């Protein structure tokens, strides 16, 4: 029999209640990241149709460094840099590709990356591919990042320190004090990388992200994605022009990959305009967050943003509750280790404009019945 180790691995995961499998969409959407419900909005559909009518290509045909550098990519980057107030932007097919590109290539051997203990897998994978020294700091603790850099310097570290955080944590829903991390970065002449995947379009002035007030600073790089609140796909890294130039010259995920679809770039550009023109969507989402505070916080959920975790603890118990909630018509997913730390399996309730306050209240009623 072939693939014995893989079969054994899958059964061990199943035995531990940790086997990931695909499931169809079913029920009220409480699990997508389509926070502003832009994925089906007529403006983006019309933008796609107009772009196609004007001859924008579906495929780029090659790496950006070869024939793949379509005018749509450059237009998106110019517009994104202006929107996010950065000197330059570079686009990628996904936030995953952008994070791995950045952290695998820009920090150099002899540099230090201090990363928040809860940063996304894409940051971990970038760090794994890169050659900087990496150390975790306690979650949300800028002082811990400060101490890690100070200890490294004291031990003779001479390169550039980097700090990597998310502005809105994807599984915990808590917001980051970006000012505190920037103060640490300034103190140590460090670079700060802020992953705004879940904050883009929703938080910060004009939906420009939690780090919005500091865009344009020479020690700040942000990741802004188009696949979540902006309703399409792809991402931009925004920051100093030298970072963009370096990525173009050295980042393997950028160089050795077919450039994203020009059509996607055209739609992403329109999504930035929708965010700018339709602040009402953000206001509605914030009203749903208030509703979640009323209905779900009393059941033990943490409600700080549109990502509402309800920690259950045990893996199987979390999946049992998720299954019961799904059977009642709500698409809420259970999240288990290793995506979240052991002992913190949870329901991740994501609020989007696809749900109503009444549905949140109904979900709370179901939870009251099925929670342990
Ligand atoms: C915090 C964070 N960063 C990056 C990514 C990757 O972005 P994308 O989905 O565009 O690949 C995700 C996606 O889940 C995320 O949650």
């Amino acid at each position: 029999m072939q693939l014995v180790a893989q079969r054994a691995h899958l059964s061990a995961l199943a035995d531990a209640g940790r086997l990931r499998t695909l499931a169809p969409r079913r029920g009220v959407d409480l699990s997508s990241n389509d926070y502003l419900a832009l994925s089906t909005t007529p403006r983006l559909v019309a933008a796609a149709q107009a772009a196609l009518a004007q001859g924008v290509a579906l495929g780029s045909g090659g790496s950006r460094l070869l024939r793949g550098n379509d005018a749509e990519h450059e237009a998106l980057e110019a517009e994104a840099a202006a929107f996010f107030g950065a000197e330059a932007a570079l686009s990628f097919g996904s936030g995953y590709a952008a994070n791995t590109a950045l952290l695998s290539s820009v920090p150099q051997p002899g540099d230090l990356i201090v990363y928040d203990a809860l940063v996304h897998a894409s940051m971990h994978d970038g760090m794994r591919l890169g050659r900087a020294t990496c150390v975790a700091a306690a979650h949300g603790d800028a002082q811990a990042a400060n101490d890690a850099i100070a200890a490294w310097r004291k031990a003779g570290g001479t390169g550039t320190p980097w700090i990597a955080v998310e502005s809105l944590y994807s599984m915990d829903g808590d917001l980051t004090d970006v000012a505190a991390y920037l103060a640490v970065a300034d103190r140590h002449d460090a670079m700060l990388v802020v992953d705004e995947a879940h904050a883009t379009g929703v938080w910060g002035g004009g939906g420009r992200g939690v780090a919005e007030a500091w865009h344009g600073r020479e020690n700040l790089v942000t990741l802004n994605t188009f696949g979540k609140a902006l309703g399409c796909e792809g991402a931009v890294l925004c920051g100093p022009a030298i970072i963009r130039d370096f990525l173009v010259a050295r980042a393997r995920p950028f160089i050795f990959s077919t450039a994203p679809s020009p059509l996607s770039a055209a739609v992403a550009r329109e999504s930035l305009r929708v965010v700018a023109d339709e602040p009402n969507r953000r206001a509605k989402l914030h009203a749903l967050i208030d509703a979640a505070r009323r209905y779900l916080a009393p059941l033990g959920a943490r409600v700080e943003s549109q990502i509402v975790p309800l920690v259950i603890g045990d893996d199987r118990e979390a999946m049992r509750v998720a299954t019961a909630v799904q059977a009642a018509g709500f698409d809420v997913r259970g999240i288990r280790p290793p995506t979240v730390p052991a002992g913190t399996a949870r329901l991740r309730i994501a609020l989007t404009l696809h749900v109503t306050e009444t549905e949140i209240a109904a979900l709370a009623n179901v939870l009251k019945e099925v929670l342990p």
Side-chain angles (χ1 to χ4, degrees), residues 184-252:
V184 173
D186 288 347
R187 192 173 313 137
H188 293 284
D189 222 0
M191 296 292 301
L192 177 64
V193 178
V194 182
D195 179 337
E196 300 251 41
H198 293 273
T200 305
V202 176
W203 293 92
R208 289 170 164 77
V210 177
E212 176 253 338
W214 301 280
H215 274 290
R217 294 194 40 155
E218 61 179 18
N219 62 348
L220 176 66
V221 179
T222 62
L223 169 75
N224 299 94
T225 60
F226 295 108
K228 303 185 195 290
L230 275 69
C232 35
E233 63 178 5
V236 278
L237 286 170
C238 297
I242 173 72
I243 299 269
R244 181 184 196 276
D245 295 345
F246 195 88
L247 287 162
V248 169
R250 299 293 300 158
R252 294 166 68 86

Side-chain angles (χ1 to χ4, degrees), residues 94-96 99 120 122 166 170 195 197-198 223 225 228 234:
S94 70
Y96 183 94
N99 266 343
H120 191 254
S122 52
E166 290 176 27
S170 59
D195 179 337
H198 293 273
L223 169 75
T225 60
K228 303 185 195 290

